[in-house]
Amino acid sequence: MPSPVSADRPAAQPSGRDSVEALISQARRLKDEVDAVRRNTRSDGAAPEGRWQRALYDLALHHLDDLDAHLAQLRDGPTSVSPAQAGPARTSASGPAPPAGPTCGSLLSRVGSAEWNLLTDEATWSGELYQILGRDPAGPALTLDDLPSLILDEDRPRLTAMVTDCLVDGKPIDGEFRVVRPDSCVRTVHMMGEPVLGPDGGTASMWAVLRDVSALRRSQRCVHETSESLQRHRRQEQTEHRITAELQEAVLPPWRGPLRLLHQGAPALDLAARRLPAAARASIGGDWYDALELPDGQTMLGVGSLTGQGVAVASGMAMLLGAVRGMAMSGAEPGELLTMLNQLFDTSVQPALGSAVCCRYRAENRTLLWAQAAHPVPLLYRNGTGHMLRPPDGVLLGATSGAGYGQAMATLQPGDLLLLHTEGLVTAHDQPTAVGRLLDMAPRFSAARTAQECVRAVVEELSKTRRADDVCVLVARVTS
């Protein structure tokens, strides 16, 4: 049977030291977890986002390091300096002692304390403060009059104003300044203090705690700088995206509806085209399309793309499209045109690669002469079915000097539909599936009344999947 005393005895409460030990364990566990997340997070250190992540992780770890050290000091109490170590409390005019304490590159997070007696002009420092300021513990503690000798010239007015406000007006001290240690290392110190009143109510002394926050401030500056860098990078991307879109919009044919090219007064081809941006907002690539009625009455059709993204690629695409139009107007056939384009790529100051399909359509006999440079071949739809045209030989533009390009010919019929597109519509990993879906659209194309309706059907089909690249689509229907 338990005794009444033991039954009524309250449960043992944890001591303050035990509570601090528990907090230290939690802080160290959290620090380990943050460090593990930092190491396991994959980020490109060269990109602004990677630098931003790394800076934030480092700042969090510095804060946790500080918390760990402060809790440990709370548990252990301040380090005292014996008279043999510290020398006389009253300072003398002797020169500075050799540097002591941690090196300039270490993370100093312990807190030092000091008290300055205004009546006796005595100064008392804790051992941590000697370490923070790099002073020899055997040397004297500096008085308030001598303390500014450690401070950078531009920060001395700030310290003087804080001390004056504390001693004269009784205001608490809370500010930072930079000190120059005897080893010439500059450290940032955060000081918090308050006046100590004497029996007569006047200020008898000033007490303060000082903490080295150099590493923490460096981390905060790094976070701030990477944040500004990231914002500049995003603004630059937005500006580049807008300029690229405007440039591409200005160069590509401004079709807002079907373009009907005439033959002997009657429509020969019903044309429609569309450039579709990538599903995710990204830099615009160098995809292009074109249709042009030539002086001899034939029609030039073409689609293509340049490797890369951004303003430079859009500018290159504009020059390439101008070259295509000029060569086509001069009478060059598709194979010859691509051969000359390849020579143009070979002599370009900025190396690039490109792909293209170029066609010449003769309405008199409905013949299509075409060539390709490593580009998706045109799809031909007739009587509710579709198939791929057999491609002639052709390599990427800019890949091989002196490359030649073959030509192929197809005879079309009234009602036939020709679909030209860039690579983004059919990617390498799902080419058979994507081409199959496009060929399965033959019944929808047959039911469509115009080329514009066919383009809208392709857009609807594209909306079912996310695309990583821009796409250009050109549809040509033989009307007579």
Side-chain angles (χ1 to χ4, degrees), residues 425 433-434 436-438 440-441 444-445 455-467:
L425 187 59
T433 303
R437 287 201 305 268
L438 290 174
D440 290 342
M441 295 184 67
R444 296 180 64 181
F445 291 157
V455 168
R456 282 198 292 268
V458 174
V459 172
E460 292 175 2
E461 184 67 24
L462 289 179
S463 65
K464 298 177 182 178
T465 57
R466 292 180 61 85
R467 300 178 314 282

Side-chain angles (χ1 to χ4, degrees), residues 15-195:
S15 66
R17 184 182 179 87
D18 292 339
S19 299
V20 174
E21 286 284 4
L23 291 173
I24 291 174
S25 298
Q26 293 178 22
R28 291 176 179 175
R29 184 168 58 251
L30 179 58
K31 184 171 64 174
D32 291 340
E33 292 174 356
V34 172
D35 188 49
V37 173
R38 178 177 63 87
R39 286 185 279 105
N40 292 333
T41 300
R42 297 180 180 179
S43 61
D44 182 4
E49 290 82 358
R51 293 196 300 271
W52 169 253
Q53 276 193 340
R54 185 177 62 220
L56 285 179
Y57 279 128
D58 290 343
L59 180 59
L61 289 174
H62 280 165
H63 276 296
L64 290 171
D65 280 336
D66 275 352
L67 178 61
D68 185 7
H70 296 161
L71 289 173
Q73 189 173 1
L74 181 63
R75 176 195 60 194
D76 301 337
T79 301
S80 61
V81 182
S82 66
Q85 291 175 311
R90 183 180 297 275
T91 60
S92 66
S94 59
T103 61
C104 184
S106 63
L107 173 60
L108 302 175
S109 57
R110 295 180 70 86
V111 176
S113 62
E115 184 170 357
W116 290 276
N117 191 312
L118 304 182
L119 303 179
T120 64
D121 201 27
E122 292 179 338
T124 305
W125 287 4
S126 69
E128 289 84 10
L129 185 54
Y130 279 93
Q131 289 185 330
I132 289 173
L133 299 182
R135 310 289 294 184
D136 185 356
L142 299 185
T143 66
L144 284 178
D145 291 334
D146 295 331
L147 185 62
S149 64
L150 303 180
I151 313 301
L152 284 182
D153 293 343
E154 54 265 39
D155 290 354
R156 287 177 185 171
R158 184 183 311 146
L159 175 64
T160 300
M162 289 192 299
V163 171
T164 301
D165 290 342
C166 178
L167 300 181
V168 176
D169 299 327
K171 295 181 179 179
I173 291 177
D174 189 354
E176 293 182 4
F177 48 83
R178 289 165 296 172
V179 300
V180 182
R181 290 159 48 100
D183 57 5
S184 300
C185 182
V186 177
R187 311 294 295 184
T188 301
V189 175
H190 182 217
M191 182 177 182
M192 297 181 66
E194 59 185 17

Side-chain angles (χ1 to χ4, degrees), residues 50 57 94 110 231 236 250 265 357 359 375 404 445:
Y57 279 128
S94 59
R110 295 180 70 86
Q231 292 176 1
Q236 182 179 355
V357 165
C359 312
H375 195 85
F445 291 157

